[in-house]
């Protein structure tokens, strides 16, 4: 069939039909009773999914925009901030905090490594910092960090913790209040099953109290918090995206967050089992935490870019390639949001076919069976 497309990347991700229907509804005015109930319900659901009692701020922006709000509100020029990097997005936050004049102390790990809370504690003891900036799910590598333990280390040493949960919120547990996360940033286009365009930011009382002196307006947290609490948005919100997000969050809550997290663990297991059955090496950890994206090394002599291109051009399947130094070396299968096991088996079957076409010595047909077995027949603790 010509024209059929599959979107199997870690963002943007497929959008459920109910959400697409909400997006297609006629435009309503944002300061009218046509919008307020939708806005109210969406914000309540956002608090439920983010597991916080605080207002979760919504911005018409990508995830990076919401993250920039954290930098504008927390960083004052010259102040020390500890940025933990273990992949592409940690690098981005080091660049962004540097751009705003922070005195950035970097705790660098190789791409693919998992940050250790003891290292954070030790570094803060050596040199204090106002905030520690970490990535929950490093989408470039598939590593999901233990932000609960990282937050505990930051707290012990009197620092705030800012978490990039762009690809993790709604896929793996992120207990904002219970874990003491001061800022949790995410975006609509990943596990939240909505098109790109909404950045979200949960902010703790301590983070509001620690606001810095960097000039800001659109991204000023206090302005948005006050406006949202009266359901009177500070600026025109993208009403259709808010209506879509409202439905998507409703779907997650209806499934139940624990069931959603379990589905993601199983999807991760299926992707890893399939890749290994094909004889490929994983780049991401072979670990249940790695439930967002699976990064897989390509065999010697094959360029991962050709695998990605082959899947897209011949089979209409979009997966992701490697970023930074991993470009050409890995491909990444996303499995967050509106995904089931057949999305994984579709990707694996097409990867097998494409690798064989590119001349790799691949045993055909084993990946799908291994993936289905891993999905169906394993217990999640
Ligand atoms: N952080 C992580 C972990 C991501 O996966 C992404 C997505 O690409 C971003 C940040 C950036 O988000 P956006 O592209 O919405 O600005």
């Amino acid at each position: 069939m010509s024209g059929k497309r599959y979107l199997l990347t870690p963002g943007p991700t497929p959008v459920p039909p109910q959400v697409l229907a909400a997006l297609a509804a006629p435009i309503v005015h944002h300061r009218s009773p046509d919008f307020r109930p939708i806005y109210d319900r969406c914000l309540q659901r956002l608090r439920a999914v983010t597991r916080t009692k605080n207002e979760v701020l919504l911005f018409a922006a990508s995830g990076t925009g919401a993250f920039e709000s954290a930098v504008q509100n927390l960083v004052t020029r010259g102040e020390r901030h500890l940025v933990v990097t273990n992949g592409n997005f940690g690098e981005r936050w080091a660049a962004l905090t540097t751009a705003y004049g922070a005195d950035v102390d970097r705790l660098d790990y190789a791409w693919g490594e998992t940050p250790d809370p003891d290292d954070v504690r030790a570094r803060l003891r050596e040199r204090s910092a106002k905030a520690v900036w970490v990535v929950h799910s490093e989408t470039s590598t598939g590593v999901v960090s233990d932000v609960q333990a990282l937050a505990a280390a930051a707290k012990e040493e009197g620092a705030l913790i800012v978490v990039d949960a762009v690809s993790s919120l709604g896929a793996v547990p992120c207990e904002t209040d219970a874990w003491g996360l001061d800022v949790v940033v995410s975006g609509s286009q990943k596990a939240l099953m909505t098109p790109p365009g909404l950045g979200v930011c949960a902010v703790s009382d301590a983070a509001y109290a620690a606001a810095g002196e960097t000039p800001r307006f659109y991204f000023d947290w206090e302005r948005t918090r006050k406006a949202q609490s009266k359901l009177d948005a500070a600026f025109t919100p993208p009403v259709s995206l808010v209506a879509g997000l409202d439905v998507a969050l409703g779907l997650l809550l209806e499934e139940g967050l624990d069931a959603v997290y379990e589905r993601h663990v199983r999807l991760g297991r299926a992707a890893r089992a399939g890749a290994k059955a094909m004889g490929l090496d994983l780049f991401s950890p072979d670990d249940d935490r790695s439930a967002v994206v699976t990064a897989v090394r390509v065999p010697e002599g094959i360029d991962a870019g050709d695998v990605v291109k082959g899947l897209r051009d011949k089979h209409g399947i979009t997966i992701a390639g490697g970023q930074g130094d991993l470009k050409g070396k890995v491909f990444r299968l996303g499995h967050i949001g509106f995904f089931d096991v057949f999305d994984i088996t579709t990707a694996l079957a097409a990867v097998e076919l494409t690798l064989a076409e590119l001349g790799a010595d691949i045993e055909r047909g084993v990946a799908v069976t291994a993936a289905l077995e891993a999905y169906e027949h394993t217990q999640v603790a």
Side-chain angles (χ1 to χ4, degrees), residues 62-64 89 92-93 135 137 139 164 166-167 189-190:
S62 80
T64 305
F89 294 101
R92 184 177 295 181
W93 310 140
V135 179
S137 156
T139 322
D164 168 355
V166 175
S167 65
Q189 79 276 22
K190 307 239 173 196

